[in-house]
Amino acid sequence: MGQIGGSLDAFIGAVHRRAAVLDNEIELVCGVFSQSAEKSKQTGKALYLPDDRVYTSFEEMILREKELPEGERMDFVSIVTPNHMHFPPAKMALENGFHVICDKPMTLNLQQAKDLAQIVEQTGLVFGLTHNYTGYPMVKEARDMVRNGILGPLRKIVVEYPQGWLSKDEEHNDYKQAIWRTDPARSGAAGCMGDIGTHAENLAEYITGLKIEELCADLSTFVPGRQLDDDGNVLLRFEGGVKGVLHASQISNGEENSLKIFVYGELGGLEWHQMEPNTLKYKTQEGQRIIRPNVGNNSAAAKAHIRLPAGHPEGFFEAFANIYRNFAFAVKAHMEGREADPLYDFPSVQDGVRGLAFIDTVIASSKDDSKKWTKFVE
Amino acid sequence: MGQIGGSLDAFIGAVHRRAAVLDNEIELVCGVFSQSAEKSKQTGKALYLPDDRVYTSFEEMILREKELPEGERMDFVSIVTPNHMHFPPAKMALENGFHVICDKPMTLNLQQAKDLAQIVEQTGLVFGLTHNYTGYPMVKEARDMVRNGILGPLRKIVVEYPQGWLSKDEEHNDYKQAIWRTDPARSGAAGCMGDIGTHAENLAEYITGLKIEELCADLSTFVPGRQLDDDGNVLLRFEGGVKGVLHASQISNGEENSLKIFVYGELGGLEWHQMEPNTLKYKTQEGQRIIRPNVGNNSAAAKAHIRLPAGHPEGFFEAFANIYRNFAFAVKAHMEGREADPLYDFPSVQDGVRGLAFIDTVIASSKDDSKKWTKFVE
Amino acid sequence: MGQIGGSLDAFIGAVHRRAAVLDNEIELVCGVFSQSAEKSKQTGKALYLPDDRVYTSFEEMILREKELPEGERMDFVSIVTPNHMHFPPAKMALENGFHVICDKPMTLNLQQAKDLAQIVEQTGLVFGLTHNYTGYPMVKEARDMVRNGILGPLRKIVVEYPQGWLSKDEEHNDYKQAIWRTDPARSGAAGCMGDIGTHAENLAEYITGLKIEELCADLSTFVPGRQLDDDGNVLLRFEGGVKGVLHASQISNGEENSLKIFVYGELGGLEWHQMEPNTLKYKTQEGQRIIRPNVGNNSAAAKAHIRLPAGHPEGFFEAFANIYRNFAFAVKAHMEGREADPLYDFPSVQDGVRGLAFIDTVIASSKDDSKKWTKFVE
Amino acid sequence: MGQIGGSLDAFIGAVHRRAAVLDNEIELVCGVFSQSAEKSKQTGKALYLPDDRVYTSFEEMILREKELPEGERMDFVSIVTPNHMHFPPAKMALENGFHVICDKPMTLNLQQAKDLAQIVEQTGLVFGLTHNYTGYPMVKEARDMVRNGILGPLRKIVVEYPQGWLSKDEEHNDYKQAIWRTDPARSGAAGCMGDIGTHAENLAEYITGLKIEELCADLSTFVPGRQLDDDGNVLLRFEGGVKGVLHASQISNGEENSLKIFVYGELGGLEWHQMEPNTLKYKTQEGQRIIRPNVGNNSAAAKAHIRLPAGHPEGFFEAFANIYRNFAFAVKAHMEGREADPLYDFPSVQDGVRGLAFIDTVIASSKDDSKKWTKFVE
């Protein structure tokens, strides 16, 4: 794997690296970690990479690696730059024969997303998107239960994602994360809704297998001077008459990273919280059952994503690593000319397109008070 | 106190009676417990009432009690009938000089509510409404914290009230509660939104002191054949630019009575769950503090509504009893020609008017897809 | 009911009164609320009692009430004085034909307890002891599950009761509760172990139906100058080879009233916490089920002690009221010459004897380092 | 790093490997993964090791690696075999100049432990023991709070470790883990107490900085035919008059891996649960504060062991990885002739000696009913 972005002072770069190596299926062999050649070099050194595999631009990396013999050159690139720098390297990597795994939201805008989807299709290469929350075993279990009809036909979905870290004007406090995330040029048209609203949207669609058909959004920017939304409340209508609510926030003071989902059907309900990810609550009018990794009979889907015995908590890195490992399995299958095993799923370029479409739809809806419902069009 | 409604097989009648007597300030002296004279008599007997204080109609009770000497006759009536039978006895009782405490929603429709408000004003008598969830000590504490600016100017309010008890077609299962609650003639224009949506609305306005100005609602009826909504999702806009979400449901399978509220301001946030009512979470970006009854310094408002030392859980009856006791204090003050102490507050006829206005507004909004926002007009 | 003790400034008196009236089966008709005639009078007045039913000594109350006609005179006495004042009024009440319900620990010492048991037996009157924690519906459910073999033969019991309210030298801070509870003359030979250790012991024996056969205790007094133990750790051996741990503390800083019990058998385990009393966790290696009042099928034993629908929390007063109501049922049955229904059980004089024997045994064990195990002898 | 033990079907081998690589400070370069040469080869292959670095015995590995040039040969060995196979390779590795990190309990018996301590001292090499639970950031925080006197002088420590996985006779169900853990020849003199009791003992001493001085134990074997204890309850006396309770179990049916610790001092208390490792509860009589990673001001000790922002759960692997990373830092410091930074601490050979002494003491105490207290002698 070659990494684009993720210098030592970036948060998400190290997350991807740790996730990549956890299962001993992936090795970091090269990278361009920063626009600053100096920073990139330092990072490469700290990562024990040889100097000649630390590059100064993604173009250089892709072209130089391509010249290396197979088996030695990187097999895929991992893109962990700010959003505006996802599309160019992804496109170039794919066009030069490298598989790609990329942070979310997938691109800066919907057009790029659609273009990328086309390139992926044309090249036939493997593309993965790190909607990492779908990598949790209990999320797999939840999806499996819905698929198997344990909840009956669905009726209602509530997904919420409050954070509080942008409650103040952090972008003027020299806080790197805050600066780019609130900058439309680097983050895209949405702030909170792009960063975490898309996670919520993806999680809801992933677990339920249902697509949002229309929505009604009310986005806000509470912190004076901020350029993008920092809070949003959305009514959802899914296919099949299923109703829903999605709300996300980065000004919910005192909240950490509190992604939660509640799914209700004719026969039962489910509840899952990202901050206690190893507990899935399954509720019916007859009572509540606590579902936990490696306690009793987990689904095959969950089992394939658990590494430890009951009561040994796996967390954020392990869920992230599940995305990477599954992506690696697909790359391997591709190399060997096999179909990848669908048990080891991971978010696709189509998920990425839906994420960008979600961003466009909530913004359009929020701006328009003249009608209640805005169609979700990819 | 004389009770109207609440025969032995009714749930809420006994709740009111237990709440009334808990603090030894109120005594049940008479009642008309059912439209069936037989049932009423049986109930009176079970409650150790003398036969001559058990009546066959509310009209009879009001008129006969009025003739009894002061000190012997009931001081107020407690109305615990289905919604359509709130207004007539309330009106007659007030017009005959009796204070009234009444279950919610206050009346069958907004017009009745406004009429009742006028009667209350004209008579100058005490009127209480049992939005019982505002009686919890930690709700008082939350309100006090907001009032004292501990959260800073508010930004966002999320209030949710999922239940699952109407997930199936219970109204055709000879389930008394389900039958009248889903019958427009007895319940009013809304089902779920009238029964519990109004509690959520009242709680949000009570704690924050803010009024909803406009809203956008999506009500549903999921159970085939049901006449009223059994689920609703609402975007809220409060005065002062504060945003919110309210969702309530009676088809959230496996949920018991899960009223929760989250309030976020510039300086901090609060979280409270009705099912664990003795815990109030106060959160800032610096950390979370657990506020509990009689642990450390509670506010005067909370202290006035706690009966037990730390760790001795008070619950639903005690919160309900706080409404009754405070109402009784106000009745006493009225009798003695004093102002009632505002520390011992309870929901008023104006809260009742807002509840009915809320019902009308969410229904109007839900029916109209041609605009996003519907003004909340009392 | 006539009450002995429980003036306005005493905590437990009002608890008993509220518990007594909650179900409309018991009425307070007289009392002697304090050794001070003045205080007693004030309390009676606040409780709306007629002056001539407020007495100045328990002897006077018992004798004067006895002279009143049946139906008018009190049916039983409720004793809520400090421990040293339990035995004398209990004895006299029984000997004069009054049933008795009494706070715990039952008497000042084991000899009094045994004497009282004999008097109860001789008089054939009803005696109840307010080990109130056994009144919780989920405790009834737990006991029912054990009885029905759902856990299989038991193996291990852990019961813990940490409080923190005596972490400091509160008995010298003019804190009435602290003063008498740490005074051997009024509290008896044990402090923490008498006040709350006996609750833990009673709860463990109640749920499991097993008796402690021997134990090994390590009691401590951490606060300098304190006369009685404020903390204790005990290894338990129950009949049938079941092992256990009991620890109780009043210096566990920051703990409120955190009584918890864990019971493990060959087939499954149970967990219950007093501070979240409406949740019973039932665990097996196949998973965990949450048992809640009125959710699904509760046992008949639990159902008989629940007043509200699912999700409406009942708490300390309601559990306490279950003891009172069941005692009242037994009194009624006695009056009517019937056997009381064992579904409506309550702690007995024999439970009280075991409580005092427990106190004696832990003290004896704690003082003697020369052997590990001390027999539990009543 | 070269690994001894940990073939593909062993649980703990992969844990060590994942923990080792997570922070990109350690690389697996060789190993002998099983007594079976075939299995060892297969494991090495699956781990992408070159054939010539996969050995057939630890002796071979140590001698052959020693001959490799520095920089190429392994820097240290990681020992993940059953307990009886800890001492021989540890001894040989140290005597041949390799640092050692080893699973716990450190050796088969106390004599080996003392011998190993002596060898470590003589060689001056780095030795680490994977009492992994001390690697959690909130455990570091807890220790830091105790050290800084935030709890005041300590009074009471409760540590409990219930598991349920050996509730049945799993050792006769062809369950590999169960077989060796219940076999005295491979596990040592204790079963439950060796496997998890030592973790509890280590955690209590780590957080509080206090040593157990004497104890009173009651060990049990509940499953018929089992050779070692599967449950134990222990009264503890720490230095300075601090009292405690430790109980551990592998027959607590339905428990997963529920290590918990409660520490109380004159000024406050702490509570930590391994299964929700990112929450530390800090309690005083004034209220409870929730301490979480990267929320507000964590201690330097905690911060040095956190990788993610608030609300992104780190779990078992990350805590384990903290032990490995800190050990690696110490190895690096040793290589560079520096003192290791004490901020990056990890369990030592002395911790291992105490663990074996704990095992011996609880067994001695449990066997002897003639006295209450048994001295804890290393």
Side-chain angles (χ1 to χ4, degrees), chain D residues 332-346:
Chain D
K332 223 180 196 176
H334 188 278
M335 287 171 170
E336 299 171 1
R338 289 183 289 107
E339 283 295 304
D341 183 342
L343 189 66
Y344 301 97
D345 66 308
F346 54 93

Side-chain angles (χ1 to χ4, degrees), chain A residues 11 18 22-25 47-48 256-257 274-275 292 295 307-309 311-313 315-318 332, chain D residues 11 18 22-25 47-48 256-257 274-275 292 295 307 309 311-313 315-318 332:
Chain A
F11 147 59
R18 286 191 169 100
L22 189 72
D23 292 311
N24 200 46
E25 293 293 340
L47 298 171
Y48 304 103
E256 301 180 23
N257 190 43
Q274 192 271 148
M275 284 171 59
R292 304 250 322 155
V295 177
R307 294 165 187 79
L308 286 168
H312 296 67
F316 185 87
F317 284 118
E318 288 72 36
K332 223 179 195 176
Chain D
F11 146 60
R18 287 189 168 101
L22 189 73
D23 292 311
N24 200 47
E25 293 292 341
L47 298 172
Y48 304 103
E256 301 180 22
N257 191 43
Q274 191 273 146
M275 285 172 58
R292 304 253 318 156
V295 177
R307 294 165 185 80
H312 296 68
F316 185 87
F317 284 119
E318 288 72 35
K332 223 180 196 176

Side-chain angles (χ1 to χ4, degrees), chain A residues 51-126:
Chain A
D51 283 353
D52 61 350
R53 302 293 285 277
V54 181
Y55 301 99
T56 55
S57 73
F58 72 81
E59 293 90 344
E60 185 199 15
M61 180 170 95
I62 290 167
L63 297 176
R64 294 265 299 276
E65 287 287 319
K66 199 181 172 181
E67 291 163 13
L68 294 178
E70 203 180 325
E72 190 177 331
R73 72 168 174 250
M74 67 181 183
D75 293 319
F76 67 89
V77 301
S78 156
I79 301 175
V80 297
T81 45
N83 305 344
H84 69 302
M85 284 303 293
H86 290 177
F87 181 69
K91 181 176 189 293
M92 184 175 170
L94 288 163
E95 289 176 348
N96 283 279
F98 293 105
H99 308 284
V100 170
I101 187 164
C102 181
D103 212 304
K104 43 50 54 189
M106 188 167 75
T107 54
L108 195 64
N109 56 51
L110 182 57
Q111 190 52 53
Q112 285 184 349
K114 288 176 175 175
D115 292 349
L116 192 59
Q118 210 173 357
I119 297 166
V120 169
E121 200 191 347
Q122 285 164 355
T123 59
L125 293 170
V126 182

Side-chain angles (χ1 to χ4, degrees), chain C residues 57-366:
Chain C
S57 72
F58 72 83
E59 293 90 344
E60 186 200 14
M61 180 171 96
I62 290 167
L63 297 176
R64 293 265 299 277
E65 287 287 318
K66 198 180 174 182
E67 291 163 11
L68 294 177
E70 204 180 322
E72 189 176 331
R73 72 166 173 250
M74 67 180 183
D75 292 321
F76 66 88
V77 301
S78 155
I79 300 175
V80 298
T81 44
N83 305 344
H84 69 302
M85 284 303 293
H86 290 178
F87 181 70
K91 179 176 190 293
M92 185 176 171
L94 288 163
E95 289 175 348
N96 282 279
F98 293 105
H99 308 284
V100 170
I101 186 165
C102 180
D103 212 306
K104 45 48 57 188
M106 189 166 74
T107 54
L108 194 65
N109 55 52
L110 181 57
Q111 189 53 52
Q112 286 184 347
K114 289 177 175 175
D115 291 350
L116 192 59
Q118 208 173 359
I119 297 165
V120 169
E121 199 189 349
Q122 285 163 354
T123 60
L125 293 170
V126 182
F127 184 91
L129 189 70
T130 54
H131 271 307
N132 52 292
Y133 298 115
T134 63
Y136 278 112
M138 292 300 96
V139 168
K140 304 285 187 192
E141 186 78 25
R143 183 184 183 228
D144 192 80
M145 290 175 74
V146 173
R147 282 185 163 198
N148 284 311
I150 290 173
L151 304 195
L154 298 189
R155 286 170 167 172
K156 182 166 188 174
I157 300 161
V158 178
V159 60
E160 52 193 54
Y161 200 156
Q163 296 180 332
W165 69 289
L166 288 174
S167 290
K168 288 188 206 152
D169 182 18
E170 302 291 357
E171 56 266 48
H172 296 111
N173 286 342
D174 198 27
Y175 184 175
K176 192 183 159 179
Q177 274 279 321
I179 292 167
W180 81 257
R181 290 235 182 250
T182 59
D183 174 5
R186 284 176 280 178
S187 205
C192 168
M193 276 293 151
D195 185 14
I196 63 175
T198 52
H199 271 311
E201 167 265 328
N202 181 259
L203 184 67
E205 295 198 348
Y206 180 74
I207 288 179
T208 65
L210 296 177
K211 298 216 176 308
I212 300 167
E213 287 189 337
E214 55 185 6
L215 56 76
C216 172
D218 188 18
L219 307 191
S220 305
T221 303
F222 283 105
V223 172
R226 183 160 290 161
Q227 296 185 69
L228 294 172
D229 58 288
D230 49 24
D231 186 88
N233 304 321
V234 189
L235 303 180
L236 302 174
R237 288 182 161 180
F238 291 83
E239 48 189 331
V242 176
K243 300 289 185 81
V245 177
L246 180 156
H247 55 94
S249 177
Q250 295 179 321
I251 55 83
S252 287
N253 222 316
E255 298 293 351
E256 301 180 22
N257 191 43
S258 193
L259 173 61
K260 300 183 185 175
I261 186 164
F262 306 77
V263 179
Y264 303 103
E266 286 185 22
L267 303 179
L270 288 178
E271 178 178 344
W272 180 79
H273 296 197
Q274 193 272 145
M275 284 171 59
E276 297 181 18
N278 297 302
T279 295
L280 175 66
K281 297 181 184 172
Y282 165 47
K283 308 172 186 180
T284 72
Q285 292 306 106
E286 295 309 302
Q288 190 183 129
R289 205 155 65 78
I290 303 297
I291 301 176
R292 304 252 320 156
N294 271 331
V295 177
N297 284 322
N298 293 133
S299 66
K303 273 185 205 159
H305 297 87
I306 301 172
R307 294 166 185 80
L308 286 168
H312 297 67
E314 297 194 53
F316 185 87
F317 283 119
E318 288 72 34
F320 220 111
N322 283 334
I323 305 289
Y324 261 89
R325 186 204 53 178
N326 291 0
F327 171 77
F329 284 173
V331 167
K332 224 180 195 176
H334 188 279
M335 286 170 171
E336 299 171 1
R338 290 183 288 107
E339 283 295 303
D341 184 341
L343 189 66
Y344 302 96
D345 66 308
F346 54 93
S348 69
V349 75
Q350 281 77 28
D351 289 300
V353 173
R354 282 196 73 76
L356 272 298
F358 175 75
I359 291 172
D360 277 12
T361 313
V362 292
I363 290 174
S365 170
S366 188

Side-chain angles (χ1 to χ4, degrees), chain B residues 5 33 42 73 91 104 129 140 153 158 162 190 199 201 215 223 234 245 254-255 272 302 307 316 334 342 353 364 374:
Chain B
F33 302 101
Q42 280 172 357
R73 71 169 174 249
K91 180 176 189 294
K104 42 50 56 190
L129 189 71
K140 304 286 186 191
V158 178
H199 272 311
E201 168 264 328
L215 57 76
V223 173
V234 190
V245 178
E255 298 292 353
W272 181 78
R307 293 165 186 80
F316 185 88
H334 187 278
V353 173
T374 300

Side-chain angles (χ1 to χ4, degrees), chain D residues 113-375:
Chain D
K114 289 177 175 176
D115 291 349
L116 192 58
Q118 208 173 358
I119 296 166
V120 169
E121 200 189 347
Q122 285 164 355
T123 60
L125 293 170
V126 182
F127 184 92
L129 189 70
T130 54
H131 271 307
N132 50 292
Y133 298 114
T134 63
Y136 279 113
M138 291 300 97
V139 168
K140 304 286 186 191
E141 186 77 25
R143 184 183 182 230
D144 192 81
M145 290 175 74
V146 172
R147 281 185 164 197
N148 285 309
I150 290 173
L151 304 195
L154 299 189
R155 286 170 167 172
K156 182 166 188 175
I157 300 161
V158 178
V159 60
E160 52 193 54
Y161 200 156
Q163 297 180 331
W165 70 288
L166 288 174
S167 290
K168 288 188 206 152
D169 182 18
E170 303 291 357
E171 57 266 47
H172 297 110
N173 286 342
D174 199 27
Y175 185 173
K176 193 183 159 179
Q177 273 279 321
I179 293 167
W180 81 256
R181 290 236 182 248
T182 59
D183 174 5
R186 283 177 280 179
S187 204
C192 169
M193 277 292 150
D195 186 14
I196 61 174
T198 52
H199 272 311
E201 167 264 327
N202 181 259
L203 184 68
E205 295 198 346
Y206 180 75
I207 287 179
T208 65
L210 296 177
K211 298 216 177 310
I212 300 167
E213 287 190 335
E214 55 185 6
L215 56 76
C216 172
D218 188 18
L219 307 191
S220 305
T221 303
F222 283 105
V223 172
R226 183 160 290 161
Q227 295 184 71
L228 294 172
D229 58 289
D230 49 24
D231 186 88
N233 304 322
V234 190
L235 303 179
L236 301 175
R237 289 182 162 182
F238 291 83
E239 48 189 330
V242 175
K243 300 289 186 81
V245 178
L246 180 156
H247 55 93
S249 178
Q250 295 180 321
I251 55 84
S252 288
N253 222 316
E255 299 292 353
E256 301 180 22
N257 191 43
S258 193
L259 173 62
K260 300 182 185 177
I261 188 164
F262 305 76
V263 179
Y264 302 103
E266 286 184 22
L267 303 179
L270 288 178
E271 177 178 345
W272 180 79
H273 297 197
Q274 191 273 146
M275 285 172 58
E276 297 181 19
N278 297 301
T279 295
L280 176 66
K281 297 181 184 173
Y282 165 48
K283 308 171 187 181
T284 71
Q285 293 305 108
E286 295 309 302
Q288 189 183 130
R289 205 155 65 78
I290 303 297
I291 300 176
R292 304 253 318 156
N294 271 331
V295 177
N297 284 321
N298 293 132
S299 66
K303 274 185 203 158
H305 297 87
I306 301 171
R307 294 165 185 80
L308 286 168
H312 296 68
E314 297 194 54
F316 185 87
F317 284 119
E318 288 72 35
F320 220 110
N322 283 334
I323 305 288
Y324 261 90
R325 186 204 54 178
N326 292 359
F327 172 76
F329 284 174
V331 167
K332 223 180 196 176
H334 188 278
M335 287 171 170
E336 299 171 1
R338 289 183 289 107
E339 283 295 304
D341 183 342
L343 189 66
Y344 301 97
D345 66 308
F346 54 93
S348 69
V349 74
Q350 281 77 27
D351 289 299
V353 172
R354 282 196 73 77
L356 272 299
F358 174 76
I359 291 171
D360 276 12
T361 314
V362 292
I363 291 174
S365 170
S366 188
K367 281 187 181 152
D368 182 1
D369 282 357
S370 78
K371 67 175 186 293
K372 192 187 277 180
W373 299 105
T374 301
K375 293 281 169 211

Side-chain angles (χ1 to χ4, degrees), chain A residues 84-371:
Chain A
H84 69 302
M85 284 303 293
H86 290 177
F87 181 69
K91 181 176 189 293
M92 184 175 170
L94 288 163
E95 289 176 348
N96 283 279
F98 293 105
H99 308 284
V100 170
I101 187 164
C102 181
D103 212 304
K104 43 50 54 189
M106 188 167 75
T107 54
L108 195 64
N109 56 51
L110 182 57
Q111 190 52 53
Q112 285 184 349
K114 288 176 175 175
D115 292 349
L116 192 59
Q118 210 173 357
I119 297 166
V120 169
E121 200 191 347
Q122 285 164 355
T123 59
L125 293 170
V126 182
F127 184 91
L129 189 71
T130 53
H131 271 308
N132 50 292
Y133 298 114
T134 64
Y136 278 113
M138 291 300 96
V139 168
K140 305 286 184 190
E141 185 77 27
R143 183 185 183 227
D144 191 81
M145 290 175 74
V146 172
R147 283 185 161 196
N148 284 311
I150 291 173
L151 304 193
L154 298 189
R155 287 170 166 173
K156 182 166 189 173
I157 300 161
V158 179
V159 61
E160 53 193 55
Y161 200 155
Q163 295 179 333
W165 68 289
L166 289 173
S167 289
K168 288 190 207 153
D169 182 17
E170 303 291 358
E171 56 266 48
H172 297 110
N173 286 341
D174 198 27
Y175 184 174
K176 193 182 157 178
Q177 273 280 321
I179 292 167
W180 82 257
R181 290 234 181 252
T182 60
D183 174 5
R186 283 176 281 179
S187 202
C192 168
M193 277 291 151
D195 185 15
I196 62 174
T198 52
H199 271 310
E201 167 264 327
N202 180 259
L203 184 68
E205 295 198 347
Y206 180 75
I207 288 178
T208 66
L210 297 177
K211 299 218 175 305
I212 300 168
E213 287 190 337
E214 54 185 9
L215 57 75
C216 172
D218 188 18
L219 308 192
S220 306
T221 303
F222 282 106
V223 172
R226 182 161 290 162
Q227 297 184 67
L228 294 172
D229 58 287
D230 50 22
D231 186 87
N233 304 322
V234 190
L235 303 180
L236 301 175
R237 287 182 163 182
F238 291 83
E239 48 188 332
V242 175
K243 301 289 186 78
V245 178
L246 180 155
H247 55 94
S249 177
Q250 294 178 321
I251 55 81
S252 288
N253 222 315
E255 299 292 352
E256 301 180 23
N257 190 43
S258 192
L259 174 61
K260 299 182 185 177
I261 186 162
F262 305 76
V263 179
Y264 303 103
E266 287 185 20
L267 303 179
L270 288 179
E271 177 178 346
W272 180 79
H273 297 198
Q274 192 271 148
M275 284 171 59
E276 296 181 19
N278 297 303
T279 295
L280 175 66
K281 296 181 184 173
Y282 165 47
K283 308 172 187 181
T284 72
Q285 292 306 107
E286 296 308 302
Q288 189 183 129
R289 205 156 65 77
I290 303 298
I291 300 176
R292 304 250 322 155
N294 271 332
V295 177
N297 284 321
N298 293 133
S299 66
K303 273 184 206 160
H305 298 86
I306 301 171
R307 294 165 187 79
L308 286 168
H312 296 67
E314 297 194 52
F316 185 87
F317 284 118
E318 288 72 36
F320 220 111
N322 283 334
I323 306 288
Y324 261 90
R325 186 205 53 178
N326 291 0
F327 172 77
F329 283 172
V331 167
K332 223 179 195 176
H334 187 278
M335 287 172 169
E336 299 171 1
R338 290 182 288 108
E339 283 295 304
D341 183 341
L343 188 66
Y344 301 97
D345 67 308
F346 54 93
S348 71
V349 76
Q350 282 76 27
D351 289 300
V353 173
R354 281 196 73 76
L356 273 298
F358 175 75
I359 291 172
D360 277 12
T361 313
V362 293
I363 290 174
S365 170
S366 188
K367 280 186 181 151
D368 183 0
D369 280 358
S370 79
K371 67 175 187 294

